[in-house]
């Protein structure tokens, strides 16, 4: 790969020359590189999974571009050389992270983070037999990271199942046993 500087001949040239060179521009710089071809190796299972995940992320990004409000949100987060589409793909590719679940009397406090934004947190309380006692949506706290859900009761021997969902619809599930 070579960066081209002050070459009048290559200032207006873009594309592939024969089967040898590719000339393209990225972030205002002209780059000349050896032409790449398709791999001759069979893709691994992880590669196929990554390709599928990227296909889903790209489809989400295409849909986001039609919503002016979300497009403006993602564009506001874009850095140099990035756009709303890039940010939407990045958001759709990664799921939110549930960092911590703690209990304050009958409140369930969930610390959930995402590189962009956690859209909602759902809490489901099960008793010792696994029967759902209650479920509902948590409310975002003032710090923008903690989500609060006021439970009617937290049965001993039961469990609390928390689902954090980001703007792209990716969900992360975490379960905590009640003692």
């Amino acid at each position: 790969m070579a960066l081209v500087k002050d070459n009048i001949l290559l200032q207006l040239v873009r594309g592939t020359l024969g089967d040898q060179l590719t000339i393209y521009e990225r972030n205002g710089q002209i780059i000349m590189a050896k032409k790449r071809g398709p791999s001759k190796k069979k893709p691994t299972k992880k590669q196929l999974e990554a390709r599928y995940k990227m296909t889903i992320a790209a489809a989400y990004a295409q849909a986001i571009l039609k919503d002016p409000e979300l497009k403006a949100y993602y564009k506001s987060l874009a850095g140099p050389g990035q756009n709303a589409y890039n940010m939407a793909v990045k958001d759709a590719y990664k799921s939110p992270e549930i960092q911590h679940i703690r209990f304050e009397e009958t409140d369930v406090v969930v610390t959930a983070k995402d590189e962009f934004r956690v859209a909602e947190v759902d809490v489901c309380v099960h008793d010792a037999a696994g029967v759902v006692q209650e479920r509902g949506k948590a409310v975002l706290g003032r710090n923008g990271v903690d989500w609060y859900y006021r439970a009617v009761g937290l049965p001993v021997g039961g469990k609390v199942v928390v689902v954090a969902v980001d703007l792209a619809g990716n969900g992360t599930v975490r379960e905590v046993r009640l003692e």
Side-chain angles (χ1 to χ4, degrees):
M1 179 179 90
L3 297 177
V4 178
K5 299 200 187 252
D6 297 332
N7 187 318
I8 296 172
L9 178 64
L10 295 177
Q11 288 296 325
L12 301 173
V13 177
R14 300 291 178 274
T16 302
L17 300 174
D19 284 335
Q20 305 259 325
L21 293 174
T22 300
I23 301 170
Y24 59 96
E25 186 173 346
R26 175 160 295 167
N27 295 331
Q29 289 188 315
I30 299 171
I31 300 171
M32 187 167 27
K34 178 182 172 188
K35 181 182 177 193
R36 293 184 54 182
S39 176
K40 293 174 180 31
K41 295 180 185 176
K42 185 177 177 187
T44 65
K45 185 176 180 182
K46 283 180 95 174
Q47 286 173 326
L48 291 172
E49 288 172 3
R51 288 178 188 175
Y52 176 73
K53 199 171 179 182
M54 185 56 80
T55 302
I56 299 298
Y60 169 74
Q62 286 291 334
I64 281 304
L65 294 178
K66 295 175 184 169
D67 183 342
E69 187 176 308
L70 284 174
K71 182 178 179 180
Y73 170 72
Y74 283 118
K75 185 160 180 58
S76 72
L77 299 172
Q82 297 176 323
N83 56 33
Y85 178 84
N86 301 136
M87 295 294 99
V89 167
K90 187 175 183 181
D91 188 22
Y93 200 78
K94 288 189 175 182
S95 296
E97 177 185 353
I98 298 174
Q99 294 179 322
H100 189 66
I101 300 172
R102 65 183 189 279
F103 303 100
E104 297 174 358
E105 296 177 19
T106 60
D107 283 351
V108 179
V109 182
V110 180
T111 303
K113 289 179 88 176
D114 188 63
E115 190 170 340
F116 295 91
R117 187 167 74 199
V118 176
E120 65 181 34
V121 173
D122 295 319
V123 178
C124 187
V125 179
H126 299 259
D127 64 7
V131 177
V132 175
Q133 295 298 306
E134 61 181 290
R135 75 170 12 135
K137 298 202 179 301
V139 178
L140 182 62
R142 286 185 167 181
N143 65 1
V145 177
D146 290 336
W147 293 76
Y148 294 87
Y149 176 76
R150 173 132 321 158
V152 175
L154 298 172
V156 176
K159 66 181 176 181
V160 173
V161 178
V162 176
V163 179
V165 181
D166 66 6
L167 285 175
N170 297 324
T172 301
V173 179
R174 189 150 167 213
E175 185 178 299
V176 176
R177 291 255 171 229
L178 299 169
E179 297 176 7

